[in-house]
Amino acid sequence: MGFLPGLIMTRNEITFSEAIEKVMLENDYYAPLQLIYKEFERHRPFTGLTPLKTIQERVQRDKRFTRIGLGVYALTEYLEKLPHIVEPRTQLEKISYKHTEIQGMIIEIGNMKGFETYTPDRSKIFRNKGLGNIASFKECPNFTYEKIVQSIKFCDVAWFNLRGFPEKLFEVEDSTDFRGSLVKFTELQDFRTNFNLVASLQRKTKYEREISKAAFKNIADRCRFIDYADIEKYYDASLNYHNISHELSL
Protein backbone atom coordinates (compact mmCIF):
# COMPACT_ATOMS: atom_id res chain seq x y z
CA MET A 1 0.00 0.00 0.00
CA GLY A 2 3.04 2.29 -0.06
CA PHE A 3 3.62 2.56 3.70
CA LEU A 4 6.62 1.04 5.52
CA PRO A 5 5.67 -0.92 8.68
CA GLY A 6 6.28 1.04 11.85
CA LEU A 7 7.08 4.28 10.03
CA ILE A 8 5.16 7.31 11.28
CA MET A 9 4.58 9.73 8.43
CA THR A 10 3.51 13.36 8.75
CA ARG A 11 0.63 14.69 6.66
CA ASN A 12 3.09 16.50 4.39
CA GLU A 13 5.13 13.33 3.75
CA ILE A 14 2.15 11.34 2.50
CA THR A 15 1.81 11.43 -1.28
CA PHE A 16 -1.36 12.29 -3.17
CA SER A 17 -1.91 8.63 -4.07
CA GLU A 18 -1.38 7.51 -0.48
CA ALA A 19 -3.93 10.06 0.78
CA ILE A 20 -6.43 8.85 -1.85
CA GLU A 21 -5.81 5.27 -0.68
CA LYS A 22 -6.65 6.25 2.87
CA VAL A 23 -9.96 7.79 1.81
CA MET A 24 -10.87 4.64 -0.12
CA LEU A 25 -9.86 2.33 2.73
CA GLU A 26 -12.18 4.25 5.05
CA ASN A 27 -15.01 3.95 2.49
CA ASP A 28 -14.91 0.17 1.90
CA TYR A 29 -12.13 0.28 -0.74
CA TYR A 30 -13.70 2.73 -3.22
CA ALA A 31 -14.97 6.30 -3.41
CA PRO A 32 -16.39 8.89 -5.82
CA LEU A 33 -14.18 11.83 -6.66
CA GLN A 34 -16.57 14.15 -4.82
CA LEU A 35 -15.94 12.25 -1.58
CA ILE A 36 -12.18 12.07 -2.19
CA TYR A 37 -12.11 15.86 -2.58
CA LYS A 38 -13.98 16.28 0.73
CA GLU A 39 -11.92 13.82 2.77
CA PHE A 40 -8.48 14.31 1.19
CA GLU A 41 -7.27 17.08 3.53
CA ARG A 42 -7.87 14.88 6.57
CA HIS A 43 -4.80 12.97 5.39
CA ARG A 44 -2.74 15.47 3.41
CA PRO A 45 -2.89 19.23 2.73
CA PHE A 46 -3.84 20.43 -0.73
CA THR A 47 -0.70 21.66 -2.47
CA GLY A 48 0.03 23.01 -5.92
CA LEU A 49 -2.06 25.31 -8.08
CA THR A 50 -4.65 22.68 -9.07
CA PRO A 51 -4.84 19.98 -6.37
CA LEU A 52 -8.21 18.64 -7.56
CA LYS A 53 -6.80 18.08 -11.03
CA THR A 54 -3.84 16.32 -9.45
CA ILE A 55 -6.26 13.97 -7.65
CA GLN A 56 -8.05 13.28 -10.95
CA GLU A 57 -4.75 12.54 -12.64
CA ARG A 58 -3.70 10.14 -9.89
CA VAL A 59 -6.89 8.07 -9.90
CA GLN A 60 -6.83 7.87 -13.70
CA ARG A 61 -3.16 7.00 -14.19
CA ASP A 62 -1.95 5.28 -11.04
CA LYS A 63 -2.45 1.53 -11.51
CA ARG A 64 -3.31 1.04 -7.85
CA PHE A 65 -6.72 2.60 -8.73
CA THR A 66 -9.42 1.24 -11.07
CA ARG A 67 -12.48 3.09 -12.30
CA ILE A 68 -15.70 1.29 -11.36
CA GLY A 69 -18.31 3.89 -12.27
CA LEU A 70 -18.91 7.47 -13.37
CA GLY A 71 -16.24 9.30 -11.38
CA VAL A 72 -15.95 6.39 -8.93
CA TYR A 73 -12.62 4.64 -8.30
CA ALA A 74 -11.55 1.62 -6.29
CA LEU A 75 -8.33 0.18 -4.95
CA THR A 76 -7.28 -2.35 -7.59
CA GLU A 77 -5.89 -4.65 -4.92
CA TYR A 78 -9.31 -4.96 -3.29
CA LEU A 79 -11.65 -5.30 -6.30
CA GLU A 80 -12.68 -8.77 -5.19
CA LYS A 81 -13.85 -7.36 -1.86
CA LEU A 82 -16.45 -5.09 -3.47
CA PRO A 83 -20.11 -6.03 -2.89
CA HIS A 84 -21.70 -8.30 -5.50
CA ILE A 85 -25.15 -8.08 -6.99
CA VAL A 86 -27.51 -11.03 -6.83
CA GLU A 87 -29.28 -11.26 -10.18
CA PRO A 88 -33.03 -10.64 -9.79
CA ARG A 89 -35.36 -13.55 -10.52
CA THR A 90 -38.87 -12.64 -9.42
CA GLN A 91 -40.83 -9.69 -10.77
CA LEU A 92 -40.56 -7.88 -7.44
CA GLU A 93 -36.78 -8.39 -7.42
CA LYS A 94 -36.55 -7.03 -10.97
CA ILE A 95 -38.50 -3.92 -9.99
CA SER A 96 -36.25 -3.36 -6.97
CA TYR A 97 -33.15 -3.92 -9.10
CA LYS A 98 -34.27 -1.34 -11.66
CA HIS A 99 -35.09 1.15 -8.91
CA THR A 100 -31.59 0.82 -7.43
CA GLU A 101 -29.92 1.04 -10.87
CA ILE A 102 -31.64 4.37 -11.56
CA GLN A 103 -30.83 5.68 -8.07
CA GLY A 104 -27.16 4.81 -8.51
CA MET A 105 -26.98 6.51 -11.89
CA ILE A 106 -28.59 9.68 -10.52
CA ILE A 107 -26.14 9.77 -7.60
CA GLU A 108 -23.10 9.37 -9.84
CA ILE A 109 -24.39 11.97 -12.31
CA GLY A 110 -24.94 14.39 -9.43
CA ASN A 111 -21.41 13.80 -8.16
CA MET A 112 -20.03 14.38 -11.66
CA LYS A 113 -21.91 17.68 -11.86
CA GLY A 114 -20.31 18.87 -8.62
CA PHE A 115 -23.27 18.47 -6.27
CA GLU A 116 -23.20 16.90 -2.85
CA THR A 117 -25.41 13.82 -3.00
CA TYR A 118 -27.55 11.97 -0.48
CA THR A 119 -29.75 8.88 -0.41
CA PRO A 120 -31.46 7.14 2.51
CA ASP A 121 -30.98 3.74 0.83
CA ARG A 122 -27.38 3.28 1.87
CA SER A 123 -27.30 -0.52 1.85
CA LYS A 124 -28.59 -1.04 -1.69
CA ILE A 125 -26.02 -2.26 -4.24
CA PHE A 126 -25.50 -0.57 -7.61
CA ARG A 127 -23.00 -2.29 -9.90
CA ASN A 128 -20.78 -3.57 -7.06
CA LYS A 129 -21.05 -0.32 -5.09
CA GLY A 130 -23.17 0.49 -2.05
CA LEU A 131 -25.32 3.56 -2.65
CA GLY A 132 -24.23 4.88 0.74
CA ASN A 133 -20.58 4.72 -0.33
CA ILE A 134 -21.02 6.65 -3.57
CA ALA A 135 -23.22 9.39 -2.08
CA SER A 136 -21.01 12.20 -0.77
CA PHE A 137 -23.25 12.91 2.26
CA LYS A 138 -23.63 10.12 4.80
CA GLU A 139 -26.43 11.97 6.59
CA CYS A 140 -29.03 14.39 5.29
CA PRO A 141 -27.94 17.96 6.17
CA ASN A 142 -30.07 19.87 8.65
CA PHE A 143 -30.52 22.82 6.33
CA THR A 144 -33.74 24.16 7.90
CA TYR A 145 -36.58 23.21 10.28
CA GLU A 146 -36.61 19.55 11.28
CA LYS A 147 -40.12 18.97 9.88
CA ILE A 148 -39.00 20.04 6.41
CA VAL A 149 -35.72 18.12 6.60
CA GLN A 150 -37.71 15.01 7.46
CA SER A 151 -39.70 15.40 4.26
CA ILE A 152 -36.64 14.86 2.08
CA LYS A 153 -34.77 12.42 4.28
CA PHE A 154 -36.70 9.70 2.53
CA CYS A 155 -36.50 11.00 -1.04
CA ASP A 156 -34.65 8.53 -3.24
CA VAL A 157 -31.85 10.95 -4.16
CA ALA A 158 -31.10 14.58 -3.27
CA TRP A 159 -28.52 16.88 -4.82
CA PHE A 160 -27.28 19.71 -2.58
CA ASN A 161 -25.55 22.86 -3.81
CA LEU A 162 -22.33 24.34 -2.41
CA ARG A 163 -24.31 26.34 0.16
CA GLY A 164 -25.78 23.12 1.56
CA PHE A 165 -29.35 23.57 0.27
CA PRO A 166 -31.29 21.01 -1.78
CA GLU A 167 -30.96 21.92 -5.47
CA LYS A 168 -32.75 18.91 -6.97
CA LEU A 169 -34.80 16.07 -5.55
CA PHE A 170 -35.48 12.77 -7.32
CA GLU A 171 -38.12 10.17 -6.64
CA VAL A 172 -37.96 6.93 -8.62
CA GLU A 173 -41.55 5.81 -9.16
CA ASP A 174 -41.86 2.14 -10.07
CA SER A 175 -45.54 1.57 -9.41
CA THR A 176 -46.99 4.11 -6.96
CA ASP A 177 -49.30 6.95 -7.99
CA PHE A 178 -46.77 9.83 -7.62
CA ARG A 179 -48.95 11.44 -4.94
CA GLY A 180 -46.73 10.56 -1.98
CA SER A 181 -43.68 12.01 -3.72
CA LEU A 182 -45.50 15.19 -4.67
CA VAL A 183 -46.67 15.66 -1.07
CA LYS A 184 -43.01 15.45 0.05
CA PHE A 185 -42.05 18.02 -2.55
CA THR A 186 -44.70 20.51 -1.41
CA GLU A 187 -42.90 20.76 1.95
CA LEU A 188 -40.05 22.47 0.08
CA GLN A 189 -42.18 24.86 -1.95
CA ASP A 190 -40.52 27.87 -0.28
CA PHE A 191 -37.07 26.74 -1.41
CA ARG A 192 -35.60 27.11 -4.89
CA THR A 193 -35.58 23.35 -5.37
CA ASN A 194 -36.36 21.45 -8.56
CA PHE A 195 -38.44 18.28 -8.28
CA ASN A 196 -38.01 15.25 -10.50
CA LEU A 197 -40.23 12.18 -10.85
CA VAL A 198 -38.41 9.36 -12.63
CA ALA A 199 -40.42 6.49 -14.12
CA SER A 200 -41.04 4.49 -17.27
CA LEU A 201 -42.51 6.49 -20.15
CA GLN A 202 -45.72 4.44 -19.93
CA ARG A 203 -46.49 6.13 -16.61
CA LYS A 204 -46.26 9.72 -17.85
CA THR A 205 -50.04 10.03 -18.30
CA LYS A 206 -50.54 9.08 -14.66
CA TYR A 207 -47.96 11.68 -13.62
CA GLU A 208 -49.66 14.41 -15.66
CA ARG A 209 -53.01 13.57 -14.07
CA GLU A 210 -51.56 13.91 -10.55
CA ILE A 211 -49.49 17.03 -11.13
CA SER A 212 -52.53 18.85 -12.57
CA LYS A 213 -54.41 18.61 -9.24
CA ALA A 214 -54.95 21.82 -7.30
CA ALA A 215 -53.04 20.49 -4.27
CA PHE A 216 -49.80 20.67 -6.26
CA LYS A 217 -50.37 24.00 -8.02
CA ASN A 218 -47.57 25.76 -6.10
CA ILE A 219 -44.90 23.33 -7.28
CA ALA A 220 -46.21 22.16 -10.66
CA ASP A 221 -43.96 24.46 -12.68
CA ARG A 222 -40.88 23.10 -10.88
CA CYS A 223 -41.76 19.42 -11.31
CA ARG A 224 -40.45 17.37 -14.19
CA PHE A 225 -41.14 13.87 -15.43
CA ILE A 226 -38.00 11.99 -16.54
CA ASP A 227 -38.10 8.72 -18.42
CA TYR A 228 -35.91 5.88 -17.14
CA ALA A 229 -34.40 5.61 -20.62
CA ASP A 230 -33.22 9.25 -20.55
CA ILE A 231 -31.35 8.67 -17.29
CA GLU A 232 -29.74 5.53 -18.70
CA LYS A 233 -28.75 7.25 -21.96
CA TYR A 234 -27.24 10.21 -20.10
CA TYR A 235 -25.31 7.93 -17.76
CA ASP A 236 -23.96 5.73 -20.56
CA ALA A 237 -23.04 8.74 -22.69
CA SER A 238 -21.17 10.27 -19.74
CA LEU A 239 -19.25 7.02 -19.18
CA ASN A 240 -18.27 6.88 -22.85
CA TYR A 241 -17.27 10.56 -22.87
CA HIS A 242 -14.96 10.06 -19.92
CA ASN A 243 -13.45 6.99 -21.57
CA ILE A 244 -12.71 8.97 -24.74
CA SER A 245 -11.42 11.99 -22.79
CA HIS A 246 -9.05 9.80 -20.82
CA GLU A 247 -7.74 8.03 -23.92
CA LEU A 248 -7.13 11.33 -25.73
CA SER A 249 -5.74 13.05 -22.59
CA LEU A 250 -8.26 15.89 -22.93
Side-chain angles (χ1 to χ4, degrees):
M1 298 295 294
F3 301 106
L4 293 176
L7 181 62
I8 299 176
M9 304 178 72
T10 68
R11 292 174 73 246
N12 286 320
E13 291 174 326
I14 293 175
T15 67
F16 265 71
S17 288
E18 288 166 343
I20 294 168
E21 279 184 324
K22 283 179 172 288
V23 174
M24 291 183 179
L25 284 169
E26 294 170 347
N27 200 58
D28 294 337
Y29 312 115
Y30 58 97
L33 279 171
Q34 195 75 349
L35 184 62
I36 296 172
Y37 297 155
K38 283 177 61 178
E39 299 296 323
F40 185 87
E41 285 195 292
R42 292 178 52 246
H43 305 292
R44 185 194 194 284
F46 281 142
T47 54
L49 296 177
T50 56
L52 300 188
K53 287 187 177 180
T54 301
I55 290 173
Q56 291 180 35
E57 187 273 334
R58 293 293 188 275
V59 296
Q60 290 172 356
R61 302 192 179 279
D62 191 325
K63 291 184 178 179
R64 76 185 82 181
F65 307 119
T66 298
R67 195 181 76 160
I68 60 170
L70 182 57
V72 185
Y73 295 85
L75 290 168
T76 306
E77 180 182 354
Y78 292 99
L79 289 177
E80 292 186 0
K81 290 185 177 290
L82 301 187
H84 295 287
I85 298 173
V86 177
E87 287 298 319
R89 295 183 179 181
T90 68
Q91 186 60 28
L92 284 176
E93 287 175 346
K94 289 177 181 178
I95 291 172
S96 178
Y97 177 85
K98 182 72 169 183
H99 189 285
T100 302
E101 279 275 298
I102 297 299
Q103 277 183 280
M105 291 178 187
I106 294 171
I107 291 170
E108 290 189 8
I109 292 169
N111 288 337
M112 180 192 69
K113 288 179 168 290
F115 292 102
E116 299 281 9
T117 53
Y118 166 78
T119 181
D121 300 320
R122 294 183 50 78
S123 63
K124 291 184 177 180
I125 306 301
F126 166 62
R127 300 188 182 183
N128 300 97
K129 297 160 287 186
L131 294 186
N133 292 97
I134 59 174
S136 59
F137 277 148
K138 305 305 180 187
E139 302 289 341
C140 184
N142 293 316
F143 60 91
T144 187
Y145 298 110
E146 179 63 19
K147 177 185 175 182
I148 297 176
V149 173
Q150 285 293 335
S151 70
I152 72 163
K153 271 188 176 180
F154 301 103
C155 284
D156 287 320
V157 179
W159 292 359
F160 289 84
N161 61 29
L162 294 178
R163 289 171 56 81
F165 290 97
E167 182 92 5
K168 297 179 185 289
L169 298 182
F170 298 83
E171 283 279 77
V172 181
E173 293 283 356
D174 308 296
S175 57
T176 54
D177 61 7
F178 298 101
R179 199 171 305 154
S181 297
L182 292 171
V183 169
K184 290 181 195 175
F185 293 162
T186 59
E187 290 292 331
L188 279 87
Q189 61 186 282
D190 298 310
F191 290 81
R192 298 178 62 181
T193 305
N194 294 317
F195 310 116
N196 301 275
L197 282 300
V198 188
S200 63
L201 189 59
Q202 292 87 340
R203 307 197 68 230
K204 189 172 183 180
T205 300
K206 177 64 176 173
Y207 162 78
E208 291 173 341
R209 186 158 55 243
E210 289 298 326
I211 196 62
S212 66
K213 293 180 177 178
F216 307 122
K217 179 180 178 181
N218 289 342
I219 63 168
D221 61 346
R222 286 188 283 152
C223 289
R224 182 171 59 142
F225 179 92
I226 306 177
D227 181 15
Y228 282 156
D230 290 335
I231 295 291
E232 292 166 333
K233 287 176 184 176
Y234 190 98
Y235 182 83
D236 291 340
S238 298
L239 279 176
N240 292 333
Y241 171 79
H242 281 265
N243 281 337
I244 295 170
S245 296
H246 180 48
E247 290 169 6
L248 298 179
S249 300
L250 294 178

